[in-house]
Amino acid sequence: VTSLAARRCVLPSGPARAATVRVEGGRIVAVVDGRADPRADRVLEEGVLAPGLVDLQVNGAFGQDLAVAGPEGWDEVARGLASHGVTSFLATFTSAPLGELEERLRRARALVASHAGGPGAREPERGCLSRAPRARLLGAHLEGPFLSPARAGAHDPDVLRPPDPQDLARLLDAGGGALRLLTLAPELPGGIDAVAALARRGVVVSVGHSDATAGCVAEAVAAGASFITHLFNAQRGLSAREPGVTGYALVDERLRLGVVADGVHVVAPVLRLAWRLAAARIAIVSDAVGPAGARVGVAGNEGVLAGRRLRVSPGDAVARLDDGTLAGGLALLDDGVRTLVALGVPPADAWRAASVVPAAVLGHQELGRIAPGAAADLVWTDDELRVREVWVAGRPYQSPQPGAT
Ligand SMILES: [Zn+2]
């Protein structure tokens, strides 16, 4: 048994406060709420102890594009994410020809079995103990190809199509239990049937890259959709007589809302608006692409997303296509938390938008929270929420920093 005591700890609800956390066998076995036990193995006098972050939308990072990277590349991404406090993630694939998507899903499926997370990721500590700590690969998020050409964003419009049942079956077969989340446009022919079919198979269905009216989104929710992909971006917006995807999402409390919180995809006043209306339902995502986290000037100034060239300009926090279209984030999820805090969001609430809420989107009660029974995925930050130390399944990712007690 190891124990950690912190003056400020992010628990599943309420403000950051003192707590003592006991860890055994990769899991949290007890939490003393309200008291930092001075006899704990580690006493964290400063900073914040928080649950590991959960990123539902990672296309790549650290110079690697997950759509094409080999196992070493995936490993590099998983380790790099852990260094940013991200202890679980979904590999995200954007629209591509069906055969390529099948191949990517099969690769993800094989890697889920070998990564921390284990098959199906229902037992998150499995497969982790014999390996260096790194972020758990929870599975794949397929963003497309059943998306609206009118809201393609950076997706190649030539490969978008309506959700044909046979195509859907091929993707479900290729992904198996590793296909966890699928973003589609429910207004396409066959869209609502596809939502129902996916939901029946246990895949979380998200509305995104969609020109749907609010009425259509309501139908999708009735059929089983439960998430919105990057709220505000690449979807029909709110107007006076048509709420669109955005307006509907902000008021239907059954939906959780993915938001790219880099301050560029959604500017501060709009982020603040969403927070006021739906704070407890917002799951921030990075939508990170290959150049994210990479050193600028080395592998950081250009990249590729599903075969499309990305441009990264100095001082720009996002990757763009040649025509300027937003094509993904460069900030990782820990940055997103700090962006929310900079808007005035209380630190514990901001942290939960990147841990408890995204874990709940996938139905993972045992991830993203400091509570008995949960995986011991923990992050210790400084007072500005910059990551200092990370534990995955109770094992330290980084060696203790000088000055830490
Ligand atoms: Zn997108």
Side-chain angles (χ1 to χ4, degrees), residues 57 94 143 147 152-155 183 209 229-230 233-234 287:
Q57 200 162 351
T94 53
E143 195 188 6
L147 307 178
H155 291 242
T183 297
H209 290 271
T229 294
H230 44 54
N233 299 123
D287 201 4

Side-chain angles (χ1 to χ4, degrees), residues 148 151 184-188 191-193 195-196 205-229 231 234-238 242-257 281:
S148 166
R151 304 285 176 178
L184 56 66
E187 74 277 15
L188 297 175
I192 300 296
D193 288 344
V195 172
V205 184
S206 183
V207 173
H209 290 271
S210 165
D211 202 38
T213 59
C216 179
V217 182
E219 270 186 75
V221 172
S226 58
F227 193 56
I228 299 289
T229 294
L231 186 73
Q235 59 193 229
R236 185 189 285 260
L238 166 70
E242 172 47 63
V245 176
T246 308
Y248 185 85
L250 284 168
V251 295
D252 187 332
E253 298 193 349
R254 295 171 293 180
L255 286 167
R256 291 193 177 90
L257 316 175
R281 298 189 284 126

